[in-house]
Amino acid sequence: MSLHIFSQVALTCKDPIATERFYTKNFGFKRARVTKVPDGEQIVAIKMLDSAFYFELFKAKEELPVILPINDGPEYPSVRHLAFKVDNVDAKLAEMGDDAKITLGPLNFDEYIPGWRTVWIYDPDGRIVEISQGFVDQDNPPPLETDLTGRKTQPIHFA
């Protein structure tokens, strides 16, 4: 059996409607489905326009057990941030207005990739969202078995 597409990320939200509004208004998502589950709750699926990618929005039932991440996201094992490419970071920030609660940047990374500019913001639930322009694939990335210096890396073992 083969993998067809990466299809969705499930987000647990303090206020799923506020989260839905943020992503539909600022990143081109639209409501695709609402599913009622046996406990009476609803799962809202929002789809990124012109793609097959969804966010599933679940209502949070607990408080956040850690402090909100800062800068470009947590440094412990986790999802560090969600990311979207745009044509112009500054224009996107201006378009978002008060929805753009900046945690870091905007920063230019021309020394790594010419034209790469990035900013990180909070979504309504405190998740870090990266907005970047100019990021391109590396022509010849090193194989998985080596780090960026070409040295062999040790495999990760989970207990």
Side-chain angles (χ1 to χ4, degrees), residues 8-79:
Q8 66 197 33
V9 171
L11 303 177
T12 304
C13 314
K14 292 182 277 187
D15 181 348
I17 299 300
T19 301
E20 178 180 12
R21 188 174 295 119
F22 178 82
Y23 286 100
T24 56
K25 177 182 173 189
N26 297 304
F27 296 103
F29 284 79
K30 71 173 188 166
R31 186 177 278 206
R33 175 178 289 278
V34 176
T35 304
K36 286 193 177 227
V37 292
D39 68 359
E41 294 287 330
Q42 295 182 23
I43 302 167
V44 176
I46 58 175
K47 182 178 182 180
M48 182 175 248
L49 298 178
D50 300 323
S51 80
F53 180 76
Y54 298 83
F55 281 143
E56 284 184 328
L57 308 179
F58 291 79
K59 174 80 171 129
K61 296 180 181 180
E62 300 174 10
E63 292 296 317
L64 186 66
V66 296
I67 61 170
L68 282 180
I70 59 170
N71 297 326
D72 64 340
E75 295 187 356
Y76 48 80
S78 176
V79 173

